[in-house]
Amino acid sequence: MQPPAPGCRGCTVTAPAIRVEHVYKVFGRHPERVVERLRAGATRAEVADAGTAAVIDASFDVHPGEIFVIMGLSGSGKSTVIRMLNGLHDATAGTITVQGEPITGVGASRLRSIRRDRIAMVFQHFALLPHRTVADNVAYPLELRGVAKDARRAKAEEILELVGLGGWGDKLPSALSGGMQQRVGIARALAADTDILLMDEAFSALDPLIRREMQEQLLELQQKLRKTIVFITHDLNEAMLLGDRIAVMRDGRIVQVGTPEDILTDPANDYVEQFVQDVDRARVLTAANVMERPRPVVSETAGPRTALRQMRDSYTSAAYVVGRDRTLIGMITDRDAVKLARSGEVSMAPVLRPVPQSVRQDEILMNLFVPAVESPLPLAVTDDDGHLVGVIPRVTLLAALGPGPGATEEIPVQPQPIPVSVIDEVLAGGETPPGSGPSDREAVL
């Protein structure tokens, strides 16, 4: 058993669900000659006289249970790739395997069997049968398999409930909105009960609000069903939202494969960098992408003088307190620590305060602005078990986004820390030095 794939949300990898190795697709009279020239170093433009090189030397794996997005502008070759994944186009060269079985070079009968049992497709323009009811459209793959009418009707109703169309089974597609019709298309693919879904620009025909709803519903369905999904899009924000990993295509070639964070923060070349410059980073980057090493942090077994020393060295007026296993327990302010030290207390427990705001490391940046403003310390970041794994200063949060959401929010002034001279005096065990003034003592008391 291999470890989870990078970026794959909760899926465990045994072997690739789909493997594409050095695949070419050329349309024209002499495609093999074009492939030879491409392998020898010719560019797409240089072979245009002999054929159209739609896909050039494409290689990637799709892991079980992940959403793998292939994105690029029109003409980049992304739709040709997905049509080769289910055998609608034959590869000119290279190999494609689905769950370990080749689909390149196999007979028509075997190819139909693989499509029926392993791969379902969701089309851009729904491709519903207009004179069949919604339920009959959903049940159509089961009908092709010879499933009895009552059984396929029951399955169709179950799937319609899953996609939010319960009660619409007896309607014709023409009675449904565009978004509802696309839900029927997804339901039909789910009814086929295959492990792999191919979605070719599935939401691009929808208006923006409906499109966003469909994207969110797809993510909700994926949490329940854990399908392997290959999703084609030209919309980078859609790719960033949906993809566990993304393959970026240009002129028939795959120029980068990585997680959304990889592509946004470490673009492979100038093309990708220009492509991602207008991405809404607040919806892509997470707390884990921008957090820093947590400081100041003190152990619950430490005393108030240790806490004061940490705060003095970090130029802050409060510190996080953690347990032996780094579980976030609370926070202590410099004023409370000074009072404890002056009274001879050796435990911080009497004055520990709850942490007003903390966030999970997988929280997107868009959701961090209000917590960051309300937190008197750099925003605490925890893992699933409540362990403190990092902090996010406000300046780091804003710098990660540049101008954008939250950049103009008013940040309230935090209480000024106790003067260093007072902390030094407390740590030394003496009295407040002459000349420090009544304001210093009042700040402590």
Side-chain angles (χ1 to χ4, degrees):
M1 185 77 66
Q2 300 176 19
C8 190
R9 301 178 182 120
C11 54
T12 300
V13 178
T14 54
I18 299 172
R19 171 159 284 175
V20 176
E21 297 179 283
H22 303 293
V23 165
Y24 293 76
K25 179 59 183 177
V26 177
F27 297 97
R29 288 178 297 176
H30 303 291
E32 291 80 9
R33 295 180 190 174
V34 173
V35 171
E36 289 177 5
R37 291 172 62 185
L38 290 168
R39 284 173 172 165
T43 66
R44 194 187 205 187
E46 289 170 343
V47 300
D49 59 327
T52 301
V55 177
I56 304 171
D57 198 21
S59 295
F60 59 87
D61 288 346
V62 181
H63 303 296
E66 76 170 331
I67 300 179
F68 186 86
V69 175
I70 303 175
M71 64 155 300
L73 300 176
S74 296
S76 61
K78 58 188 185 299
S79 291
T80 303
V81 169
I82 202 170
R83 282 167 171 75
M84 287 192 289
L85 296 184
N86 69 354
L88 291 176
H89 290 326
D90 290 329
T92 306
T95 59
I96 301 172
T97 57
V98 174
Q99 295 177 328
E101 182 170 353
I103 65 167
T104 44
V106 302
S109 176
R110 184 59 194 147
L111 185 57
R112 284 194 297 270
S113 177
I114 292 172
R115 288 181 188 148
R116 183 183 65 242
D117 298 333
R118 305 189 187 188
I119 302 173
M121 186 102 173
V122 181
F123 298 93
Q124 176 179 357
H125 295 291
F126 319 144
L128 303 180
L129 303 172
H131 303 299
R132 286 181 173 241
T133 66
V134 166
D136 286 343
N137 266 278
V138 174
Y140 188 62
L142 302 177
E143 181 180 341
L144 294 179
R145 292 182 185 177
V147 176
K149 184 175 182 179
D150 289 346
R152 64 179 187 254
R153 175 72 187 207
K155 183 66 174 179
E157 294 293 349
E158 175 188 337
I159 299 296
L160 285 171
E161 287 286 347
L162 185 64
V163 299
L165 289 178
W168 289 86
D170 292 326
K171 303 291 185 180
L172 291 174
S174 58
L176 277 60
S177 67
M180 295 170 75
Q181 290 184 44
Q182 190 58 290
R183 282 189 175 92
V184 176
I186 293 174
R188 179 177 58 192
L190 294 176
D193 201 25
T194 61
D195 292 331
I196 298 170
L197 294 183
L198 305 180
M199 304 183 73
D200 187 9
E201 298 272 12
F203 304 147
S204 63
L206 305 175
D207 67 64
L209 289 178
I210 300 300
R211 184 172 187 168
R212 182 70 182 189
E213 290 178 9
M214 293 300 300
Q215 292 165 354
E216 292 172 353
Q217 183 170 47
L218 178 63
L219 291 174
E220 291 174 5
L221 287 171
Q222 179 67 346
Q223 288 294 320
K224 300 174 184 176
L225 302 177
R226 305 307 313 163
K227 297 290 186 180
T228 300
I229 300 175
V230 179
F231 192 99
I232 302 297
T233 184
H234 64 271
D235 185 323
L236 184 58
N237 280 307
E238 182 170 67
M240 292 284 181
L241 174 67
L242 297 179
D244 292 310
R245 290 186 302 136
I246 300 170
V248 182
M249 293 194 71
R250 181 189 188 190
D251 296 336
R253 295 183 183 273
I254 293 176
V255 295
Q256 185 170 3
V257 177
T259 66
E261 293 83 1
D262 292 337
I263 289 172
L264 188 58
T265 61
D266 189 22
N269 54 33
D270 291 343
Y271 174 78
V272 180
E273 184 174 8
Q274 293 173 4
F275 212 92
V276 303
Q277 65 183 357
D278 294 326
V279 170
D280 185 352
R281 299 167 71 90
R283 296 184 181 274
V284 178
L285 297 178
T286 65
N289 296 131
V290 301
M291 68 184 184
E292 300 177 0
R293 183 174 63 87
R295 58 189 298 268
V297 177
V298 294
S299 170
E300 64 177 330
T301 59
R305 293 178 182 274
T306 299
L308 280 173
R309 185 172 287 107
Q310 291 271 24
M311 287 182 263
R312 181 195 62 185
D313 294 344
S314 301
Y315 302 100
T316 60
S317 58
Y320 287 122
V321 180
V322 297
R324 292 182 182 276
D325 62 351
R326 301 287 291 183
T327 300
L328 183 59
I329 294 175
M331 58 176 285
I332 184 171
T333 68
D334 54 1
R335 286 165 173 76
D336 288 337
V338 165
K339 291 176 182 178
L340 286 179
R342 286 189 176 281
S343 64
E345 292 282 348
V346 296
S347 170
M348 296 183 293
V351 298
L352 283 187
R353 304 185 185 194
V355 175
Q357 294 286 344
S358 65
V359 296
R360 291 264 299 274
Q361 59 186 344
D362 58 356
E363 193 69 65
I364 59 174
L365 298 193
M366 172 172 283
N367 298 334
L368 304 189
F369 294 104
V370 172
V373 167
E374 294 178 350
S375 178
L377 281 169
L379 186 61
V381 182
T382 62
D383 63 16
D384 293 342
D385 297 318
H387 301 136
L388 183 65
V389 294
V391 295
I392 304 176
R394 293 191 196 96
V395 66
T396 300
L397 177 60
L398 297 178
L401 300 173
T408 60
E409 287 194 45
E410 182 180 351
I411 298 178
V413 177
Q414 298 297 329
Q416 292 297 313
I418 291 176
V420 173
S421 61
V422 175
I423 294 178
D424 287 341
E425 170 263 319
V426 173
L427 292 175
E431 295 298 325
T432 305
S436 59
S439 59
D440 286 353
R441 186 173 295 279
E442 289 168 3
V444 176
L445 300 178

